[in-house]
Amino acid sequence: MQLYFSPLACSMATRICLYEAGAEATFVEVDAKTKRTEHGEDYRAIHPLGFVPALRIDEGLVLTENAAILQYVARMFPDAGLAPEGELARTRMQQWLCFIGTELHKGLFSPLLDPKAPKEAKEYALEKAPAVLGVLEAHLAGREYLLDRFGVADAYLVTVLGWTLATPIALAKWPVLRAYVTRLQERPSVARAIVEERMLYLRERVRRVVA
Ligand SMILES: N[C@@H](CCC(=O)N[C@@H](CS)C(=O)NCC(=O)O)C(=O)O
């Protein structure tokens, strides 16, 4: 399979899960600004909105939407234990994937990180931070992961919470969350993804300055 990604974007959650699973995968970088892949393809022909991630699966099909892709990877590599068994536990996992994707990623972080978002949109998003982060702080108190063991929802959460560094949100106000991020960032699959994507992110920034 082939993962279309942009450095440090939400697509990093899938990279983490592919590493966890020891999957054979290739990674195609998408320039978030020009919407060209590293091979010069027009990425909008692959994803009409130009969003990462997209996952080209072996049968030649392309999947989109982070929550769906993460669950697909978990199902393809069951030995990695990235998604729980059982109806209730699976629904809980979907609950967290939806929460992270809507309340956290799109509701809170997208306006804060989007240079084109108006000031009012950023302020409105920031007002929601205490309630949304408070839900996670309360849930993770006394727990290592969102569910019983590390899984796709954790990969997504640690990726998104890593973005706080580029926003006015200070995780020091949510000590449980801060400890969760620190702990998960030390996990080998997460640490590897961060190191690799940080380097690519810096390279992209340099390319942009030079261009
Ligand atoms: N609904 C999509 C949203 C994905 C998304 O927002 N991706 C961001 C990166 S984290 C993106 O590609 N942004 C590029 C842009 O806004 O043009 C999903 O869940 O996969």
Side-chain angles (χ1 to χ4, degrees):
M1 41 182 79
Q2 209 172 33
L3 177 70
Y4 293 91
F5 77 99
S6 296
L8 302 179
C10 56
S11 43
M12 196 176 84
T14 303
R15 180 191 289 272
I16 291 169
C17 291
L18 291 169
Y19 289 165
E20 285 281 334
E24 264 188 41
T26 52
F27 299 88
V28 180
E29 187 173 346
V30 177
D31 187 312
K33 280 236 160 64
T34 63
K35 303 295 179 197
R36 292 263 152 204
T37 72
E38 63 182 89
H39 307 306
E41 303 154 291
D42 174 10
Y43 183 60
R44 286 190 204 275
I46 295 162
H47 189 309
L49 295 179
F51 289 159
V52 290
L55 188 70
R56 190 179 289 284
I57 56 180
D58 295 339
E59 302 92 273
L61 293 167
V62 172
L63 299 176
T64 62
E65 293 301 315
N66 210 9
I69 290 173
L70 288 168
Q71 290 180 77
Y72 177 82
V73 170
R75 273 197 303 276
M76 286 299 108
F77 302 97
D79 291 349
L82 294 167
E85 299 288 332
E87 203 48 42
L88 181 60
R90 220 172 21 246
T91 305
R92 282 269 182 244
M93 173 194 69
Q94 288 162 347
Q95 172 193 311
W96 286 119
L97 287 173
C98 292
F99 181 87
I100 299 161
T102 57
E103 309 306 331
L104 207 58
H105 176 177
K106 285 296 182 179
L108 181 56
F109 283 99
S110 285
L112 295 179
L113 295 171
D114 185 347
K116 289 196 199 127
K119 189 164 92 20
E120 290 76 10
K122 291 182 190 291
E123 284 167 2
Y124 179 67
L126 262 187
E127 278 170 24
K128 294 197 247 176
V132 175
L133 295 175
V135 168
L136 290 164
E137 178 84 359
H139 177 74
L140 285 167
R143 284 171 199 270
E144 212 170 329
Y145 307 113
L146 285 167
L147 301 167
D148 288 345
R149 55 180 288 179
F150 179 87
V152 291
D154 294 297
Y156 194 5
L157 184 56
V158 72
T159 296
V160 170
L161 289 177
W163 301 338
T164 49
L165 289 177
T167 73
I169 297 172
L171 268 193
K173 287 190 199 147
W174 292 276
V176 171
L177 269 187
R178 189 170 62 169
Y180 168 86
V181 172
T182 306
R183 197 168 58 245
L184 264 67
Q185 285 183 341
E186 283 166 5
R187 195 178 171 87
S189 62
V190 180
R192 178 180 168 197
I194 292 174
V195 166
E196 291 173 355
E197 294 213 0
R198 263 194 199 144
M199 202 184 68
L200 294 170
Y201 180 80
L202 290 175
R203 207 182 281 173
E204 188 184 281
R205 306 264 315 226
V206 169
R207 255 198 328 264
R208 203 151 284 148
V209 171
V210 171

